[in-house]
Amino acid sequence: MMQSSAIHSPFNAPNTISLVAGEGDAEIALNAFDMCLIQSGIANVNLIRISSIMPPKAEVIPLPKLPMGSLVPTAYGYQMSDVKGETVAASISVAIPKDKELCGLIMEYECVGGKKEAEDTVREMAKEGFEMRGWEIDEIISIAAEHTVEKVGCAFAAAALWYK
Amino acid sequence: MMQSSAIHSPFNAPNTISLVAGEGDAEIALNAFDMCLIQSGIANVNLIRISSIMPPKAEVIPLPKLPMGSLVPTAYGYQMSDVKGETVAASISVAIPKDKELCGLIMEYECVGGKKEAEDTVREMAKEGFEMRGWEIDEIISIAAEHTVEKVGCAFAAAALWYK
Amino acid sequence: MMQSSAIHSPFNAPNTISLVAGEGDAEIALNAFDMCLIQSGIANVNLIRISSIMPPKAEVIPLPKLPMGSLVPTAYGYQMSDVKGETVAASISVAIPKDKELCGLIMEYECVGGKKEAEDTVREMAKEGFEMRGWEIDEIISIAAEHTVEKVGCAFAAAALWYK
C-alpha cells in the first residue's frame, strides 16, 4: 500500500515542468498576485509551493491544461510593491544536468529592478547550485516578468510540475 | 499509473471545503499560531498551504473529522502581533460560481484591525477575482477571527479542503 | 476511489520522521538556503512545507534515501542574515506522546543567536503545545544548527516525513 503512495513514490514524481510568468496590479496585494496567476495560466489551480527540484528526466513542456482545483507542485518567486512607479521583477531558472540520472535545480529570484537583472541573477544562482553539487550543466532555461507599480503591483515567475 | 496519481488526477481533487477560524496568544509566535489551530479544530493535522481554489462542485461542509497527521490542503491567512493591546484580524472568503463547471475562488486577508474590516475586505477581494475572470458569483461565504494581543497574539482563518 | 487517495487517507499518512539540520553561506539568500539543504541531505528533493505534526506511531529514523525530485512533507525553520559576523540559529523539536494513539507535535524556532538558545526554546515550545492539548509527553527529541555569517548566511533545521 505504501509503495503505491502517489505523491511519494519515485515513479510518481512529476515528470513534466513548465515555466510561466506574469504581472499584476490591484488595490490589494493578493488580487495583484491573482492577476499574475491569471496571466501565467495557473490561476484556477491550487499551487503547492515546493523547494525546488526538477525530477530526473522530467520533460520541459508548455503549460498543459490543468484540471481546475488540482494540487500542482510549483516553485515560484514574486516581488510585491506598493511604491507607485517602482519596477519589480521575478525570475525562475532551471539548470538541466548532463547526466540524465540526476535531477535539475530550480532557482527563483525576485527584486526591485528589471527583468534582465532578475533573469541574469537567477541563471547565476542555478549555475552556483550545480557547482556546489559538483554536477555538470547541459543547459539552463529561464523566464522572467517585470512590472511597474500603479497601486499594488506584483511580478511573478514559476515552474509548475505535472504529469504526462 | 500516472493517471491514477491521487493528488494530481482531476477526479481526486478534494471535493469538500470547510471554513474555520481562531485566535491565540502565547510567549512565542508559533505557540500562538498553534492555539489558533487548536481553536479552529485543525491543530493535529499537517496543513499544506495552497493558493487558493475551491475545486468545481466541492461541497461546503462543517469541518470533518480529520485523521491525525493527515496532509490537508488548506488556504489560510493569519496576522501576528507582539504589540500589547493591538487588535489583529484574519478572514477567508470563498466565491462560489453560478456555473457549476467552474471552480470557486478562495481569498484570505489579514490586518491590524477588527474582524469586520477583514471580512468586508476579503469578500470584496473574492468579488474582484471573479470580475477579473469574467465569471458570475452564486454566493460568497466567509469567516473571520480577531484577537487583542496580550503577549504575542494571532488571528487565523482557513479553508480546509478534504474528501467525502 | 476517494478512499484510496494516497496523501489523504489515514493509512497513508507518512510513517517515518527524520530530523536534519545544516548551515550555509553564499552571495544570495537562496543559494545559502540550498547549501543548508545540501548539508542536511535533502537538497535534491522537493520540500513541501507542513504545519507540523508527527503522525501517530511514526518511527523516528535517520534520514532515508529519498528518490531525487520526490515531494517530501517537511516541517522546517530557518534564519537568514546578511550581517557579517552575526550568528543565526534554527532548531526543530518533536514531542512524542505517551499515548501512542495520539500524534506528536513538531515545533520550529529560529533566531539571531546560538543553537543552544534555539534548541532550549524549541523544546519549551513543544512542551507548551502538549500542555495546551492536555497530553503527556513520552520524550522530546530535537536538533539545531547555527551559523556565523560571512556574506548571506543561513541556519536550517527540519523534520522530514516519509514512508517505510
Side-chain angles (χ1 to χ4, degrees), chain B:
Chain B
M1 183 60 74
M2 291 310 158
Q3 278 67 21
S4 69
S5 163
I7 81 159
H8 295 105
S9 299
F11 53 84
N12 271 333
N15 58 10
T16 71
I17 182 168
S18 306
L19 303 194
V20 293
E23 54 173 314
D25 211 285
E27 295 284 345
I28 288 177
L30 190 54
N31 284 119
F33 185 80
D34 186 39
M35 286 180 68
C36 292
L37 300 189
I38 291 174
Q39 207 174 97
S40 301
I42 52 176
N44 296 327
V45 297
N46 282 304
L47 305 183
I48 294 184
R49 198 171 192 176
I50 54 170
S51 77
S52 301
I53 294 297
M54 183 192 85
K57 297 174 188 156
E59 199 179 333
V60 182
I61 61 170
L63 188 70
K65 188 165 166 37
L66 302 166
M68 282 187 178
S70 301
L71 304 167
V72 181
T74 305
Y76 60 87
Y78 64 96
Q79 181 77 41
M80 200 75 78
S81 168
D82 60 3
V83 179
K84 193 179 154 72
E86 190 166 75
T87 296
V88 292
S91 186
I92 284 273
S93 66
V94 186
I96 299 170
K98 276 204 176 144
D99 180 344
K100 299 307 176 193
E101 301 304 315
L102 299 175
C103 57
L105 181 62
I106 305 167
M107 282 281 170
E108 60 260 13
Y109 185 73
E110 50 270 312
C111 63
V112 175
K115 63 191 273 189
K116 183 173 182 330
E117 177 190 341
E119 197 161 1
D120 288 350
T121 304
V122 83
R123 294 177 68 94
E124 277 309 308
M125 290 165 68
K127 220 178 277 182
E128 189 176 334
F130 258 55
E131 274 163 24
M132 292 199 294
R133 286 165 174 74
W135 295 356
E136 274 184 284
I137 293 178
D138 182 5
E139 62 168 330
I140 297 178
I141 59 173
S142 56
I143 196 170
E146 70 180 17
H147 177 76
T148 300
V149 177
E150 293 161 45
K151 292 167 181 173
V152 180
C154 187
F156 172 87
L161 304 184
W162 199 243
Y163 292 79
K164 191 176 179 171

Side-chain angles (χ1 to χ4, degrees), chain A residues 95 107 122-132 137 140:
Chain A
M107 282 281 171
V122 83
R123 294 177 68 93
E124 277 309 308
M125 290 165 67
K127 220 178 277 181
E128 189 176 333
F130 258 55
E131 273 163 23
M132 291 197 295
I137 292 177
I140 297 178

Side-chain angles (χ1 to χ4, degrees), chain C residues 123-142:
Chain C
R123 294 176 67 93
E124 277 309 307
M125 291 165 67
K127 219 178 278 181
E128 189 176 334
F130 258 54
E131 273 163 25
M132 291 198 295
R133 284 164 176 76
W135 295 355
E136 274 185 283
I137 292 179
D138 181 6
E139 62 168 331
I140 297 178
I141 58 172
S142 56

Side-chain angles (χ1 to χ4, degrees), chain C residues 11-71:
Chain C
F11 52 84
N12 271 333
N15 58 9
T16 70
I17 182 168
S18 307
L19 302 194
V20 293
E23 53 174 314
D25 211 286
E27 294 286 346
I28 289 177
L30 189 54
N31 284 119
F33 185 79
D34 186 39
M35 285 180 69
C36 292
L37 299 189
I38 292 174
Q39 207 174 95
S40 302
I42 52 177
N44 297 326
V45 297
N46 283 305
L47 305 184
I48 294 184
R49 198 171 193 176
I50 54 169
S51 78
S52 302
I53 294 297
M54 183 191 85
K57 298 176 187 154
E59 198 179 333
V60 182
I61 60 170
L63 188 70
K65 190 166 164 34
L66 302 166
M68 282 186 179
S70 301
L71 304 168

